[in-house]
Structure formats: structure tokens, C-alpha cells
Amino acid sequence: MNNSMNENMSISENDEVKVEQDASAEETETPKEKVKIEFPFSEKVREKAPKAFEVAENVATQWKNDEKFEVGLPHPLAEVAAVKALEKAKEVEKKLEEKGVITAAKMGVEIAKLQAQSLLSKIKKS
């Protein structure tokens, strides 16, 4: 069940994640980018679960800006577990970036997209 939920809730490459400047950032610091999560029907989901979206956008903003994670869960043990998991995931991401794995994966996706577009254009011409 958990796998099917993840598949249904995954964000595709066509979905947008808008980045806005945080007005509270001081002029001496580099401006922090606030992440706004948007995908098809996200406004409907946001109406049903506004707190979940707020938490997700805060965590995404903290992730993007390499900030200390603060999830804001009501139970202290759940908060600690969530923060530790996020810190570990960020550490893994940094190691993968250092080894070039993420860049290679992005290139592979771009090559696959170009091949698919080429194939589609050949099919349309036929």
C-alpha cells in the first residue's frame, strides 16, 4: 500500500516547483529561496491538508537552502526521528553529488527524453 501511495503522489518532471524570494532575509545574507510545491490539482489537496503543505514547503525550503531541519511535528520523538532521517538523506545526496551520480542520472534522463522525442517525431511523420 505504501508503494502505491508513493507512485500516485510522485512529482513528475512536468510538475512545477516555484521558488520565491523570502522577504525576511537580511540584506547582508544571500537571499533565501522559498519553495512552493505545485502539481496538478495541488490547490485541491492544499485545501484538504494545509498543514501538510506548510510542513512540506518548509522542509523543502530548508533542504534547498542547506538549513538546519525543523519539521514542526507535535510529538518530540517524531520530530527527532524526522530531523535525523532528513539529515541522513541530505548527507547521502551530498555524497552522490560528489561522486557525480546525480549528474550522470540527469544526463541519462535527458538522453532518454531526446530519444523519445525523436521517436515520436518519426512516428508522426509516418
Side-chain angles (χ1 to χ4, degrees):
M1 181 178 149
N2 203 8
N3 235 358
S4 64
M5 271 183 66
N6 288 341
E7 290 172 5
N8 292 336
M9 294 300 290
S10 66
I11 298 175
S12 73
E13 210 173 277
N14 296 331
D15 295 335
E16 294 181 29
V17 176
K18 293 188 177 177
V19 177
E20 301 172 353
Q21 295 294 334
D22 187 0
S24 65
E26 293 181 21
E27 288 181 26
T28 57
E29 294 180 9
T30 56
K32 301 198 176 171
E33 297 177 341
K34 179 150 174 62
V35 176
K36 181 166 174 64
I37 299 174
E38 290 185 337
F39 52 87
F41 305 106
S42 64
E43 291 307 316
K44 295 281 185 191
V45 178
R46 190 181 303 269
E47 288 174 10
K48 299 288 184 186
K51 181 67 176 164
F53 262 85
E54 181 183 329
V55 168
E57 288 175 345
N58 286 337
V59 168
T61 299
Q62 292 164 3
W63 184 287
K64 182 165 182 63
N65 295 313
D66 289 327
E67 297 175 4
K68 183 179 176 195
F69 292 108
E70 295 178 18
V71 181
L73 298 176
H75 195 284
L77 291 177
E79 176 75 16
V80 169
V83 167
K84 290 292 181 190
L86 288 166
E87 288 171 349
K88 182 65 176 176
K90 188 67 175 176
E91 181 182 318
V92 168
E93 180 194 49
K94 286 182 181 181
K95 286 181 181 177
L96 291 174
E97 282 179 349
E98 289 172 2
K99 292 181 179 182
V101 174
I102 292 177
T103 304
K106 286 180 182 179
M107 285 177 23
V109 168
E110 289 301 317
I111 291 169
K113 281 175 39 180
L114 290 173
Q115 290 174 342
Q117 288 172 347
S118 174
L119 183 61
L120 286 174
S121 66
K122 287 179 183 177
I123 291 171
K124 287 180 182 178
K125 289 179 183 177
S126 299

